[in-house]
Amino acid sequence: MGTTQIIKQREDLWNLYTKKEEYNSPFTDEYERFPYYLSNHRDIFEPTVSKFLISNNLELEYPENKNFAVCFTHDIDVVYPKRIMSSTKAIIDRKFTDAFKLPFSKTYRPWNPYWNFKQIMELEAKYDAKSSFYFLSLNPEEADFNYNIKDLESEIGFISDSGWEVGLHGGHESYNSLTDIQEKKRRLEKVLGKEVIGYRNHYLRFIVPNTWEFLSKAGFKYDSTFGYSDCAGFRNGMCHPFRPYNVETEKEIEILEIPLTIMDRTLQENYMKLGLERAWELTKRLIDIVEECKGVITILWHNTEMRGENLKFYENVLKYCYENNAWLTSGENICNFWES
């Protein structure tokens, strides 16, 4: 390869890594996100930048000689089912017992399928795994308000005391407002009783590089929003955590990004529409690629998807990664490991 080609290759890699194409993009989707279908980078299933770094002597050693790391995460959008819609769907699906229970699920928690934090933790503990739970701390008048974070004080305290992570799930407008991020962070920390270091924004809303700058100023240590909602894969060619670089200020941003690789709703009905079999094939392929790179793959599975076939799918991910000697852990643990 000639000198000109080498320079061009490295320039392309730098532009991909920094996501230069997303700066001041005139086009976004309905949630003001930059979607994969607008990107010039089409090789989304290849961690091109990470592979370049490995070829240039990037070496990693994970705790207990693990081959790679898996960051398991859960966005807690909903705690209380929408009674009429949920009951109607249960009847359509011929789940008549669920249809009877759902109207009473807010007052009688054992009948609430989304009040399942301990069940999730018990399942993960079977595979020596821990994860991050990102909770909304919305005001009642905000879009998608479903629960008051104060009502979950005992639950999030149990999650944190057990060694799992409680992080912030920013609201619809947080991604573009430092004030909003700070307000929601304070509200969650007041209930939790300690500092919150991890973040993911609702609906994966994100602006490069503004959201990173806001999160850094708000005191977060890491973010895990940076992935596409409409396609699984490696948004900037990285399957390792990284420090974002602001090409406008020409400075590194003081926050660690643990990029999102796979979201449950991306694989199936909402976006890629793969179906369970093809979704599993792609998931295994991405896990195997990350293992080859000794990287970190981040999985997002909502608490509302922990039922039926989707629950089996999630356990298959846990089992497959466990059998491949992965470090199954939270964003907080990944962040602390990376900084050390």
Side-chain angles (χ1 to χ4, degrees), residues 77 136-147 168-175 177 179-181 183-185 187 201-202:
D77 300 336
L136 292 163
S137 58
L138 302 175
N139 289 310
E141 66 274 11
E142 291 186 83
D144 291 343
F145 177 83
N146 177 264
Y147 58 89
L168 179 64
H169 197 34
H172 271 291
E173 306 306 321
S174 303
Y175 75 106
S177 170
T179 302
D180 195 67
I181 291 172
E183 176 195 348
K184 288 173 170 52
K185 185 174 188 282
R187 190 178 299 132
N201 207 84
H202 196 32

Side-chain angles (χ1 to χ4, degrees), residues 44 50 186 194 332:
I44 188 68
S50 280
R186 283 193 296 267
K194 70 177 190 179
E332 179 180 28

Side-chain angles (χ1 to χ4, degrees), residues 182-236:
Q182 291 171 325
E183 176 195 348
K184 288 173 170 52
K185 185 174 188 282
R186 283 193 296 267
R187 190 178 299 132
L188 179 58
E189 288 176 339
K190 185 177 180 179
V191 176
L192 181 61
K194 70 177 190 179
E195 182 186 14
V196 172
I197 70 165
Y199 184 89
R200 176 177 291 134
N201 207 84
H202 196 32
Y203 275 70
L204 303 185
R205 301 186 80 175
F206 198 92
I207 297 178
V208 173
N210 302 21
T211 306
W212 280 318
E213 295 284 7
F214 292 143
L215 293 173
S216 174
K217 290 173 183 175
F220 285 96
K221 289 186 179 180
Y222 82 87
D223 170 67
S224 190
T225 310
F226 193 66
Y228 289 119
S229 58
D230 61 331
C231 192
F234 311 104
R235 182 165 174 171
N236 72 333

Side-chain angles (χ1 to χ4, degrees), residues 67-310:
N67 294 337
F68 64 111
V70 186
C71 181
F72 284 107
T73 65
H74 314 287
D75 291 358
I76 312 302
D77 300 336
V78 176
V79 171
Y80 301 114
K82 296 177 182 178
R83 298 179 186 182
I84 295 175
M85 290 178 60
S86 298
S87 295
T88 302
K89 186 177 187 304
I91 291 171
I92 293 171
D93 293 341
R94 303 183 66 81
K95 297 176 181 177
F96 301 113
T97 302
D98 287 352
F100 171 77
K101 289 179 177 179
L102 284 169
F104 306 99
S105 61
K106 188 167 185 177
T107 53
Y108 188 62
R109 289 174 184 169
W111 285 359
N112 184 344
Y114 302 157
W115 197 282
N116 54 358
F117 316 120
K118 291 179 182 177
Q119 291 93 324
I120 293 170
M121 294 164 65
E122 288 169 1
L123 173 62
E124 291 170 346
K126 281 176 54 180
Y127 299 94
D128 195 24
K130 286 186 168 62
S131 64
S132 299
F133 291 81
Y134 302 113
F135 286 89
L136 292 163
S137 58
L138 302 175
N139 289 310
E141 66 274 11
E142 291 186 83
D144 291 343
F145 177 83
N146 177 264
Y147 58 89
N148 190 322
I149 192 63
K150 293 179 182 177
D151 296 340
L152 274 65
E153 183 173 0
S154 62
E155 292 294 320
I156 67 173
F158 178 81
I159 291 169
S160 180
D161 292 344
S162 300
W164 275 250
E165 182 190 8
V166 172
L168 179 64
H169 197 34
H172 271 291
E173 306 306 321
S174 303
Y175 75 106
N176 201 26
S177 170
L178 174 59
T179 302
D180 195 67
I181 291 172
Q182 291 171 325
E183 176 195 348
K184 288 173 170 52
K185 185 174 188 282
R186 283 193 296 267
R187 190 178 299 132
L188 179 58
E189 288 176 339
K190 185 177 180 179
V191 176
L192 181 61
K194 70 177 190 179
E195 182 186 14
V196 172
I197 70 165
Y199 184 89
R200 176 177 291 134
N201 207 84
H202 196 32
Y203 275 70
L204 303 185
R205 301 186 80 175
F206 198 92
I207 297 178
V208 173
N210 302 21
T211 306
W212 280 318
E213 295 284 7
F214 292 143
L215 293 173
S216 174
K217 290 173 183 175
F220 285 96
K221 289 186 179 180
Y222 82 87
D223 170 67
S224 190
T225 310
F226 193 66
Y228 289 119
S229 58
D230 61 331
C231 192
F234 311 104
R235 182 165 174 171
N236 72 333
M238 288 290 291
C239 67
H240 296 90
F242 63 92
R243 294 270 180 192
Y245 186 86
N246 188 329
V247 300
E248 294 177 336
T249 63
E250 298 184 349
K251 292 181 180 178
E252 192 175 73
I253 304 171
E254 288 299 314
I255 193 165
L256 186 73
E257 179 61 41
I258 306 176
L260 176 62
T261 317
I262 298 172
M263 178 172 70
D264 46 13
R265 295 168 185 170
T266 298
L267 294 173
Q268 298 177 31
E269 72 274 8
N270 292 62
Y271 295 102
M272 297 181 76
K273 303 182 189 300
L274 294 178
L276 288 170
E277 185 175 340
R278 293 181 63 205
W280 178 239
E281 290 174 3
L282 176 58
T283 298
K284 284 201 298 183
R285 174 183 171 187
L286 293 173
I287 292 169
D288 292 343
I289 289 169
V290 173
E291 181 179 3
E292 290 173 9
C293 295
K294 291 184 71 72
V296 177
I297 185 167
T298 303
I299 310 288
L300 162 54
W301 220 257
H302 292 79
N303 63 312
T304 52
E305 301 298 325
M306 293 290 184
R307 304 181 75 198
E309 293 297 326
N310 287 332

Side-chain angles (χ1 to χ4, degrees), residues 14-25:
W14 179 249
N15 290 340
L16 173 59
Y17 171 75
T18 59
K19 289 307 288 180
K20 188 175 181 180
E21 68 176 352
E22 296 190 29
Y23 281 68
N24 304 312
S25 173

